[in-house]
Each structure stands twice: as C-alpha cells, then as structure tokens.
Amino acid sequence: MAYLSKQEHAQVSEAVAAAELTTSGEIVTVLADRSDGYTDVVLWYAVALAFTAMSVFAFLPQPFMNFWDTLVGGWMDDWTTGELASMTIALGLGTFVVSYLVLSWDVMRFLCIPAPVKTTRVHAAAVRHFKVGAERRTHGRTGVLLYLSMREHRAEIVADEPIAELVSAEVWGEAMADMLVEIRQGRIAEGLVVGIADVGKVLSEHFPRAEDDENELPDRLIEL
C-alpha cells in the first residue's frame, strides 16, 4: 500500500536534495509497509497453541468429553483409548489450523509479534536495504540510510563505517526522536523531512561538501 502521495514523495526528495547541499554525505530514504512476513513466528505460535490444547486435554479430559457428549446427544458414556487418541489429535490439528488462520490476519499478527522480534527484524531489514542501496556506493563511503517500517512502528538510521566511527548512536537517536514526533501524529512526510534535515546537519559537521562533490545516490524516497 502507498502511504504517501506524489506531492509528499516530492516533498521528501526535495528535503534530501536540500540536506545534501552542505555535505558530501548521501542520504537514502526507504519507507516500507513491513520488514518481514513473520510466517515463522505465526507457525511457532500455532504449534505452541496446538500442543497446549492437546496437553490440557490429556491432563483434564473430562470437561472436553462431557462437552462432546453433550454435542452428540449424550450417548457416548465410555471412551475407548482409540477414541481418546483421535480426539487428542483432532483437537491439536483443529487448534493449529484455527490459530494459524487467525494469526495470518495482519491485525492479529502484528499485535502478537513480540516487540524484541519486531525490533530485530526491522534492524535486519534496514541493514539489508543499506547494503544494497547505500553501503560503499559513494566515493568517500558517506552514505546514510533512513529507514521507516510502518507496520512495526520502528525506524532505523544506518550509516557507512566512516560516519559510524564519528557519530554516536545518541546523535542518531535525537534525529530519530525528532522524526517520530511528527510520524506519531500521522504526518509521515513531515516526519521524514525533519529526520532528513537532522541527518543533513550531522553530516555537514563531519563531512562538509567539497566544490567538486557530485550527487552519487538518488534523492527520491523508495516506498516498498
């Protein structure tokens, strides 16, 4: 899905171009709907719930047996070992299928994904996009990626090694905080513009623009 209009895309691109006027650094912006499908997490949840249901039935079978007897009219007074085993398997399979289908719905999936998992996956995606789109692709290795993942409500700033050696994580954290003030209010483009401006100021301090500097990476926002 598209989060920004053409005008907002242009607004972000113009902010990148303006920020790069005073620095040899190159800023790349990526706006992603999500950083991962989390299919493996959904699968583990479904498996865990299935085994939980089977375990509860194994330890407390009578309530389930009474409920089933009620559904079928109350004629099954004596359960055989085979019937108990079949019920256990059926309960596990049913729980797995229902859990997987429910958690495959985006709203439920992103509510259930643990925060540390989201943070890890977003960081991994940001690094992956940085390696493809910015790392070592400038003459002085001065690329910076500003990455925003909407479903996870996470943002990352990833920089080339020469920049990372000079700029502390706290500095990038301040830029991130300024950006998120706007984004939390639903002003995504404005938030990106603020973040870009802050990154540009930091780069200008450490990597001022040379007279023969060329724009080596595209200014446009990449929306995934």
Side-chain angles (χ1 to χ4, degrees):
M1 63 179 295
Y3 286 92
L4 300 182
S5 65
K6 290 183 179 180
Q7 292 77 12
E8 289 172 323
H9 269 266
Q11 183 182 354
V12 174
S13 298
E14 290 169 2
V16 173
E20 292 178 352
L21 288 175
T22 58
T23 177
S24 60
E26 295 285 340
I27 303 171
V28 177
T29 54
V30 176
L31 173 64
D33 175 58
R34 66 193 68 193
S35 294
D36 194 82
Y38 302 97
T39 304
D40 59 325
V41 180
V42 171
L43 182 61
W44 279 112
Y45 266 123
V47 169
L49 289 171
F51 274 101
T52 299
M54 294 168 69
S55 299
V56 171
F57 178 72
F59 283 104
L60 296 170
Q62 198 60 49
F64 289 93
M65 293 163 62
N66 293 340
F67 177 70
W68 180 257
D69 285 348
T70 301
L71 289 179
V72 298
W75 291 103
M76 294 184 64
D77 293 329
D78 297 320
W79 286 65
T80 66
T81 302
E83 289 169 343
L84 286 171
S86 297
M87 178 59 73
T88 303
I89 295 171
L91 183 62
L93 288 175
T95 303
F96 176 86
V97 172
V98 172
S99 300
Y100 191 87
L101 291 176
V102 170
L103 292 174
S104 293
W105 182 33
D106 275 350
V107 174
M108 291 301 299
R109 182 186 321 187
F110 283 94
L111 280 175
C112 294
I113 301 299
V117 174
K118 291 180 182 178
T119 299
T120 300
R121 299 289 172 93
V122 170
H123 178 72
V127 171
R128 187 166 60 249
H129 286 297
F130 175 72
K131 289 181 179 295
V132 173
E135 185 179 36
R136 301 185 181 184
R137 296 191 60 182
T138 60
H139 178 70
R141 295 179 59 189
T142 54
V144 176
L145 172 72
L146 200 160
Y147 179 82
L148 187 62
S149 193
M150 299 302 297
R151 294 278 185 171
E152 291 89 351
H153 297 170
R154 300 288 192 281
E156 291 276 342
I157 296 177
V158 186
D160 254 320
E161 187 176 350
I163 298 174
E165 290 176 350
L166 295 174
V167 181
S168 67
E170 289 75 16
V171 173
W172 295 134
E174 293 174 4
M176 193 87 69
D178 291 342
M179 178 176 68
L180 293 180
V181 168
E182 298 290 337
I183 292 175
R184 289 192 182 102
Q185 301 299 318
R187 297 187 289 269
I188 301 172
E190 289 82 354
L192 286 168
V193 168
V194 170
I196 291 165
D198 286 353
V199 170
K201 290 177 183 177
V202 173
L203 291 176
S204 298
E205 295 175 8
H206 299 283
F207 300 91
R209 185 181 180 92
E211 292 183 2
D212 58 348
D213 185 76
E214 296 181 1
N215 191 11
E216 299 174 273
L217 296 177
D219 297 336
R220 68 180 181 84
L221 169 67
I222 300 170
E223 188 168 0
L224 305 174

